[in-house]
Amino acid sequence: MADADALSEPIETERLRRFFAQNVRSLPTTLYPALAIWLFFWWVTRTPGCFAWAALIHGWQALRIHAGTRPEYQQAALADLQAAERRAVGHVVTFALLWGLAPWMLMPEQDHAQLSVMLLMLVGVMAGSANGLAFSLRAGLSFQATLGGLLMAWLLWQRTLTDTVLAVSTAVFTGTLMLMFRNQQRHLVQLIRARLEQAAQARTLAEQKAELERLHQERSRLFATASHDLRQPVQALNLQAQTLAQALDGQPQAAAARRIGDVTQSLSQTLDAILDLHQLDHVPAPAPGDRVDAEALLFEAAQLWRDIAERRGLSLRFHSLPGALHAPRITVQRMLYNLIDNALKYTRHGGVLVAVRQRQRASGPVLRLEVWDTGPGIAAEHQPQVFQAFFRAPAPAGQAAAPGLGLGLSAVQRVCRQLGWPLGFRSRPGRGSVFWLEVPAAQPPDGA
């Protein structure tokens, strides 16, 4: 109800502005039926009343057309529009009176043929008024009632049975027109309401979109700050913990130092995962010149992850073929690191193999990055959830749950979806798992 009250004034303003605009456009069209009716009766009757009526009706039309050319109604306030509508109702009644004088001034004597033409013309004028007066119920009903009443009065004045029947028929026709006019006006008001509500909703959506964009920019600045101000201290803490563990090697405090290093390493990886999820909103598409050498990619991974694997008592092996990937370096590097990190988290015995293999697909050659582990594997009932955010496979009996938030594989899947790269895995409970993704192979450099 509050929304309806809030729209009542704009609806009324819009209705009145449309009324005046439509009324001005329809005024010239009233010249033609008036011209046709008096010319016909002058040709038939040759009476001076035809010219007198023509002077009245065309003079009034000229005055109204001249007054209607003023455009101030499109900028006027509601109170001024309502006052103008009241004046317009008086003009409409005057116009209806002039049309109602037509049978009195154009038909000096009763003639059935002339009566038929007169009734046809006046009934057409009454029906056609719905166009110019559609947006003003008061003006429309006033026009119908005035013209219909004068026509009925003239028919009853003839004092014949036929004219009396025609007068009753005119009354029924006028009442029907007035009812139809009322319904039409309600429908037009409903259309105005619907348009204004849609416009209000569009403005609200635009404001909400602007607010979301502002919040997105603030979030981006926050994450950019966090990426710099949080990553560096956490990485420094991790390095200090590793240095402390090495310095205390062989002493009772070494175990505690190693635990501190594991915790800081886990914290660093969790922070990286959270920041990486934010960066997924802006994953760059591979540029034409993007080339990532597969052997160099695995060499860099070995430098970063081999020490971590050895501290956990795991082997970490790498196998690559010559070739290059067509991908942004940072993107493919982070995806491979997420897969390696996931494999090391869930592997307690044995090791992890990272391999690059060549494949030929319908779209062209690809390089398949595979990460094999000898972990506990993933039970069949949990495999549909592997790439869901925050999902972590249950740990085997007697083992602690793997650290992390369960965001790494979800991040990899989101990037693959955006870039259109195939991603999948196979797993056998008790035997281990292999996760793989296929990246388009880069074309050989020019001159190679």
Side-chain angles (χ1 to χ4, degrees):
M1 183 62 68
D3 292 341
D5 295 338
L7 284 176
S8 59
E9 183 172 335
I11 290 174
E12 183 69 3
T13 302
E14 179 72 10
R15 179 189 69 81
L16 290 171
R17 287 175 177 172
R18 290 195 177 196
F19 163 62
F20 288 113
Q22 186 75 5
N23 193 31
V24 168
R25 285 194 296 267
S26 65
L27 282 173
T29 63
T30 63
L31 292 172
Y32 305 112
L35 182 65
I37 192 172
W38 74 260
L39 284 176
F40 171 80
F41 280 98
W42 178 81
W43 178 67
V44 172
T45 64
R46 304 286 178 171
T47 58
C50 295
F51 292 103
W53 186 83
L56 289 174
I57 195 75
H58 291 317
W60 182 256
Q61 288 172 331
L63 289 175
R64 297 309 309 147
I65 291 174
H66 175 71
T69 57
R70 296 194 298 267
E72 65 269 15
Y73 292 134
Q74 296 306 313
Q75 291 81 30
L78 177 60
D80 296 332
L81 290 172
Q82 291 173 335
E85 184 187 28
R86 289 191 291 270
R87 293 193 298 271
V89 171
H91 300 156
V92 167
V93 170
T94 302
F95 197 45
L97 287 171
L98 293 177
W99 276 105
L101 289 176
W104 303 84
M105 300 181 67
L106 302 180
M107 293 180 59
E109 57 186 28
Q110 182 68 278
D111 181 273
H112 291 295
Q114 297 176 17
L115 177 60
S116 299
V117 173
M118 178 62 68
L119 290 177
L120 180 63
M121 295 296 293
L122 293 183
V123 165
V125 169
M126 292 175 66
S129 67
N131 182 43
L133 306 177
F135 288 94
S136 177
L137 183 62
R138 295 170 58 188
L141 296 182
S142 298
F143 185 86
Q144 304 289 352
T146 302
L147 179 52
L150 286 175
L151 181 55
M152 287 185 291
W154 182 82
L155 290 170
L156 292 174
W157 180 260
Q158 304 307 309
R159 297 185 180 88
T160 67
L161 179 60
T162 300
D163 291 323
T164 301
V165 172
L166 290 174
V168 173
S169 300
T170 301
V172 174
F173 175 75
T174 303
T176 302
L177 274 183
M178 295 173 72
L179 180 61
M180 292 176 59
F181 193 90
R182 180 184 294 273
N183 293 335
Q184 179 191 27
Q185 216 264 347
R186 288 177 179 174
H187 177 66
L188 292 174
V189 170
Q190 290 175 355
L191 291 178
I192 294 175
R193 176 182 295 277
R195 191 187 67 82
L196 293 178
E197 288 176 348
Q198 290 177 352
Q201 291 175 356
R203 288 193 299 270
T204 301
L205 289 175
E207 293 172 357
Q208 292 175 348
K209 180 182 178 182
E211 178 66 13
L212 287 175
E213 290 178 350
R214 184 186 67 81
L215 293 176
H216 178 72
Q217 293 175 355
E218 291 183 357
R219 187 190 69 170
S220 298
R221 288 194 294 268
L222 173 63
F223 274 92
T225 302
S227 179
H228 179 269
D229 295 347
L230 293 181
R231 267 182 170 147
Q232 285 188 347
V234 171
Q235 291 172 354
L237 179 61
N238 187 28
L239 292 174
Q240 292 295 328
Q242 294 177 8
T243 302
L244 179 61
Q246 293 175 359
L248 295 176
D249 189 25
Q251 299 184 29
Q253 296 86 353
R258 284 192 295 270
R259 285 195 295 272
I260 293 174
D262 292 339
V263 171
T264 55
Q265 178 68 24
S266 176
L267 176 61
S268 177
Q269 293 170 358
T270 301
L271 178 61
D272 287 344
I274 294 174
L275 295 176
D276 286 345
L277 280 179
H278 164 69
Q279 293 172 356
L280 290 178
D281 294 334
H282 309 283
V283 175
D290 281 343
R291 290 175 56 85
V292 181
D293 184 79
E295 293 180 323
L297 178 67
L298 266 58
F299 177 78
E300 294 173 358
Q303 299 301 310
L304 177 64
W305 293 96
R306 186 160 282 157
D307 290 342
I308 297 173
E310 290 178 355
R311 288 201 302 269
R312 298 180 184 179
L314 303 173
S315 67
L316 181 59
R317 296 180 295 123
F318 294 87
H319 174 72
S320 177
L321 295 175
L325 302 89
H326 177 52
R329 169 174 287 276
I330 297 299
T331 300
V332 73
Q333 187 180 63
R334 293 302 302 169
M335 294 170 70
L336 178 62
Y337 288 2
N338 278 341
L339 295 181
I340 296 174
D341 178 55
N342 182 75
L344 291 175
K345 282 179 182 177
Y346 285 94
T347 302
R348 297 294 186 268
H349 307 283
V352 173
L353 170 65
V354 182
V356 177
R357 308 183 191 278
Q358 294 181 351
R359 293 287 188 272
Q360 186 66 37
R361 303 300 184 207
S363 58
V366 300
L367 293 181
R368 182 178 175 122
L369 306 181
E370 299 178 349
V371 179
W372 298 74
D373 66 64
T374 58
I378 305 169
E381 63 269 21
H382 297 306
Q383 291 186 10
Q385 303 169 271
V386 163
F387 293 110
Q388 292 183 4
F390 303 105
F391 172 77
R392 293 189 296 170
Q399 293 186 11
L405 300 178
L407 296 175
L409 294 180
S410 174
V412 173
Q413 184 193 49
R414 287 181 60 183
V415 174
C416 286
R417 283 180 175 175
Q418 293 186 50
L419 298 179
W421 295 348
L423 170 69
F425 75 98
R426 296 191 307 274
S427 184
R428 294 178 62 184
R431 299 291 299 274
S433 306
V434 54
F435 285 83
W436 55 267
L437 63 94
E438 293 182 351
V439 183
Q443 296 295 328
D446 294 340

